[in-house]
Amino acid sequence: MSNYIAIDIGGTQTRAALFAPQSSTPILTQRISTQKESETPLERLLGLIASIWEQSQPVLAIGVAAASPVDPYRGIVIDAPNIPGWVNLPLRQYIEDRFHVPVALGNDANLAALAEWKFGSGKGHRNMIYITVSTGIGGGVILDNQLLLGERGMAGELGHITVLPDGPLCGCGQRGHLEAVASGPSIARWVELELGQGIPSILKAGHSLTAKEVASAASQGDALAKAAFQRAGTFLGRTFADYLHIFNPTAIIVGGGVSRAGPLIFDPIRAAMQSSVMSPQFLDNLTLTTAALGDEVGLMGALALAQNLIEK
Ligand SMILES: [Zn+2]
């Protein structure tokens, strides 16, 4: 039987899995650290694919998700900040030259959107937004059953929308982006600043907090912690209304650690979205929900890419 190989390359760990056609349950999975002194990251990656290849032939196609900007048309890793030397790396070519099967490459946040649409909470939606709110904010857009890529494959940067001009510095270097006010670290940072101003809370000033700690304090009724999620959720909800106006989706799927705060974040999101839409029609049949796929979302996106190469 012919199979697919899916790869998810992170800065620290790379995962690989083998899937039978029409199946989203892996036959086997393997995990290695992305970098090791004795080998280049590319050698390690090719070795990982080879070890799976030996256990399954023939392979129909290989899909690769990378946690960095990529050019999906040319199969190039543009710049992987956590992997030394991976700048303008023609990764697709390297893998195709070695294994002689079609290879497709995508950015992990975009591919997470593809995975949720094909296998998760977005199933059956022609038009869908996926946004992950964790250390950063990323995502992807499915329009008319297609992943929106843009001219160079850079579309779908849903976290880099200016929501607070001259606001806090964003991970991308600009100020006041959604990511800089609503990501996990941004929520924690805001609480730290408020504590520094003497705002009372069960959280203690003077050490760096996490969004998880803030969520836990909020669940114990802490007013400052609740206000932090209210604030982040309001920024998110207003921006979601913007997404509705631009893309008119029937689903907004929220993944990432912050989405696990439940009503604490979803209540203000829903309220701000409802009060910010230009017309209630945008909310008709709209599903706002959490992502269905967990850690394996990148692998599942890579699988969807590989399947697209063959099953179109
Ligand atoms: Zn930004």
Side-chain angles (χ1 to χ4, degrees):
M1 189 167 54
S2 304
N3 296 313
Y4 294 105
I5 293 178
I7 310 284
D8 183 14
I9 307 170
T12 49
Q13 285 209 320
T14 295
R15 302 199 293 171
L18 183 70
F19 295 89
Q22 273 100 48
S23 168
S24 55
T25 308
I27 300 165
L28 68 92
T29 57
Q30 255 170 280
R31 175 191 295 250
I32 58 166
S33 56
T34 304
Q35 301 175 59
K36 204 177 174 191
E37 272 183 18
S38 55
E39 285 173 299
T40 68
L42 182 63
E43 283 167 353
R44 285 185 70 67
L45 177 66
L46 294 174
L48 175 66
I49 299 173
S51 77
I52 291 190
W53 188 275
E54 284 160 12
Q55 298 171 65
S56 157
Q57 285 196 38
V59 168
L60 291 167
I62 301 172
V64 183
S68 63
V70 304
D71 182 332
Y73 302 108
R74 297 187 298 153
I76 287 173
V77 174
I78 295 170
D79 188 4
N82 298 313
I83 308 178
W86 280 33
V87 178
N88 291 322
L89 182 86
L91 186 59
R92 182 174 69 198
Q93 196 64 55
Y94 281 122
I95 301 174
E96 283 183 349
D97 286 351
R98 173 85 175 265
F99 297 99
H100 308 289
V101 292
V103 175
L105 176 65
N107 156 266
D108 63 350
N110 267 338
L111 292 191
L114 193 64
E116 285 292 337
W117 170 73
K118 194 154 186 190
F119 307 112
S121 297
K123 253 188 192 170
H125 291 273
R126 267 185 82 80
N127 298 288
M128 184 209 96
I129 306 279
Y130 166 82
I131 182 164
T132 171
V133 186
S134 80
T135 312
I137 297 184
V141 178
I142 303 288
L143 274 189
D144 293 331
N145 289 334
Q146 292 254 331
L147 178 65
L148 180 74
L149 291 173
E151 182 65 24
R152 295 196 58 202
M154 299 190 292
E157 289 293 357
L158 301 177
H160 302 278
I161 309 281
T162 305
V163 296
L164 190 63
D166 306 318
L169 196 61
C170 184
C172 72
Q174 298 292 338
R175 284 195 175 274
H177 280 175
L178 183 64
E179 177 174 301
V181 296
S183 65
S186 307
I187 293 171
R189 175 91 185 112
W190 183 81
V191 172
E192 288 166 16
L193 290 173
E194 294 292 300
L195 288 172
Q197 298 293 311
I199 305 295
S201 167
I202 58 172
L203 293 161
K204 292 284 163 279
H207 78 109
S208 67
L209 293 167
T210 64
K212 208 173 168 186
E213 289 171 299
V214 179
S216 155
S219 70
Q220 295 168 59
D222 186 75
L224 177 61
K226 287 201 286 189
F229 278 94
Q230 177 73 33
R231 180 177 182 271
T234 301
F235 278 119
L236 286 166
R238 281 190 205 134
T239 311
F240 286 10
D242 297 340
Y243 300 157
L244 296 181
H245 300 157
I246 301 168
F247 302 113
N248 189 197
T250 53
I252 297 182
I253 318 279
V254 190
V258 173
S259 71
R260 289 196 275 275
L264 205 53
I265 193 77
F266 277 95
D267 286 352
I269 286 177
R270 200 170 274 111
M273 192 169 70
Q274 283 168 353
S275 65
S276 307
V277 282
M278 59 188 282
S279 145
Q281 269 96 351
F282 283 101
L283 300 169
D284 284 351
N285 300 315
L286 179 72
T287 301
L288 171 68
T289 189
T290 51
L293 308 171
D295 267 2
E296 70 280 19
V297 69
L299 269 185
M300 302 304 292
L303 169 65
L305 262 195
Q307 290 176 337
N308 280 352
L309 286 172
I310 303 297
E311 293 169 17
K312 256 183 196 162

